[in-house]
Amino acid sequence: MGNETKWSTRDLLAVFYIIFCLFFAWFISLSNLIFSKHFPDRQYAIEHCQNDTTVMKDTFLRREEETYYGPRWVYFAPHVFSAILWWNLSWIQLIKWIRAKHLWLHRWNGRIQVMAMLGQIITGTGLALQSPTPGIRMLSIAYGAAMAYVWTQTVYHVLRKDIVRHKYWATKMFGYAQAIALQRVFLFFFMVLTVAGVPLYTPLDQLQSQEARDAETLQMFNDSFSMCIYSAIVLTEWYQATDHNQLLEYRVQEAREKLPLNGPEKPLLR
């Protein structure tokens, strides 16, 4: 019993990873939207955007943000509402004690999170379709399609009361969703490294024009999207690989038990 409840190194790393992503989701995005831009006060946000600046001294991110409160508002507003629900409540689904002792809470919160994620998928894809950067547009649409597939599997299996498969796909959906926070993480560190003089991008003191600074920031923005989606998927697959390996070990053992003692060797897995 003790071994079943003891946390593994994998679980501890996952907890720190989730806390790290939640911190950046609030630190970079939600706190800015709610406290600085007074979301959903659209007019206040537009006026406040005029004073925004970054360590890169660019205008790209300010112009990008202004489109959220302009032509992309129809997608941006519900996207933020669903993101607030997701980032503040989705982690509750991972707590084993709640699933065991308060199943009603797990179920009702699960229904809320399923709808919140569906909202993020639809509105996120809508935002991507109107993105001014073609690379991000295509990448975000592909990511939205992947999230839609994972979401469908999560809902399908819980409706069939197949809890084992539901848990597998729900974990995958939660892991893939961390890309949203990781995009802020990568963009933040790309800027910090550039200001610190790390030769990852063109050094800040060599960017002599506004166009050069904007182009540099655009490149960081594009790279942050590529890295966040790749990292979220790889880390999720790494986490779930342990469960998959346990299944393979079970199948190997089952195959060995079925083999005749003195018979010819046969493949253990099909």
Side-chain angles (χ1 to χ4, degrees):
M1 180 66 70
N3 292 333
E4 294 179 2
T5 58
K6 184 179 179 180
W7 282 30
S8 65
T9 302
R10 180 191 68 151
D11 292 330
L12 290 173
L13 289 173
V15 169
F16 284 119
Y17 170 63
I18 292 169
I19 293 174
F20 179 75
C21 288
L22 182 61
F23 169 77
F24 265 88
W26 266 102
F27 176 64
I28 301 295
S29 292
L30 294 180
S31 61
N32 176 56
L33 288 168
I34 296 173
F35 302 117
S36 297
K37 301 297 170 53
H38 293 187
F39 182 87
D41 190 336
R42 188 178 179 185
Q43 187 58 42
Y44 180 90
I46 293 175
E47 295 174 358
H48 194 79
C49 283
Q50 304 300 320
N51 303 320
D52 280 359
T53 184
T54 70
V55 294
M56 296 297 298
K57 300 178 182 179
D58 66 286
T59 62
F60 166 75
L61 289 178
R62 174 176 57 81
R63 288 184 281 107
E64 177 76 3
E65 188 175 18
E66 287 175 348
T67 65
Y68 294 147
Y69 300 100
R72 301 162 80 184
W73 176 255
V74 65
Y75 293 112
F76 181 66
H79 189 73
V80 173
F81 278 121
S82 57
I84 291 173
L85 286 174
W86 174 263
W87 285 104
N88 286 291
L89 298 174
S90 60
W91 56 270
I92 296 176
Q93 298 301 98
L94 306 178
I95 301 176
K96 296 179 181 179
W97 178 78
I98 290 180
R99 296 201 302 266
K101 302 295 184 180
H102 302 283
L103 186 58
W104 66 270
L105 178 58
H106 178 77
R107 287 175 173 172
W108 277 104
N109 189 51
R111 294 182 178 104
I112 294 173
Q113 297 316 307
V114 160
M115 297 309 299
M117 179 49 64
L118 178 61
Q120 287 193 85
I121 293 171
I122 294 173
T123 57
T125 304
L127 287 170
L129 289 171
Q130 297 182 345
S131 173
T133 54
I136 298 305
R137 187 184 310 140
M138 292 184 289
L139 185 60
S140 297
I141 292 173
Y143 172 65
M147 287 298 296
Y149 177 78
V150 173
W151 181 92
T152 301
Q153 292 290 333
T154 301
V155 175
Y156 172 72
H157 290 298
V158 78
L159 291 177
R160 294 179 62 244
K161 301 187 185 304
D162 188 341
I163 304 304
V164 173
R165 288 184 174 86
H166 165 69
K167 180 182 177 181
Y168 172 81
W169 286 103
T171 302
K172 194 179 294 291
M173 181 175 71
F174 184 88
Y176 285 10
Q178 302 310 303
I180 302 168
L182 287 176
Q183 188 271 328
R184 280 70 174 174
V185 172
F186 281 111
L187 183 60
F188 175 81
F189 280 104
F190 287 162
M191 289 186 174
V192 169
L193 292 175
T194 301
V195 172
V198 178
L200 188 61
Y201 295 92
T202 304
L204 194 58
D205 57 4
Q206 296 182 21
L207 301 174
Q208 302 299 326
S209 66
Q210 186 65 60
E211 290 76 13
R213 289 192 292 271
D214 288 346
E216 180 96 327
T217 307
L218 172 59
Q219 185 62 52
M220 293 180 183
F221 188 72
N222 290 342
D223 291 346
S224 69
F225 265 92
S226 302
M227 287 300 299
C228 77
I229 295 174
Y230 170 81
S231 300
I233 292 176
V234 168
L235 289 172
T236 301
E237 297 305 320
W238 165 80
Y239 181 83
Q240 292 192 306
T242 298
D243 296 330
H244 185 65
N245 286 335
Q246 290 175 352
L247 175 61
L248 291 178
E249 287 296 328
Y250 172 78
R251 292 183 62 192
V252 167
Q253 184 63 33
E254 185 181 42
R256 283 174 176 164
E257 292 174 354
K258 292 180 179 179
L259 286 175
L261 294 178
N262 298 318
E265 292 187 359
K266 297 180 180 179
L268 296 180
L269 295 176
R270 293 181 179 179

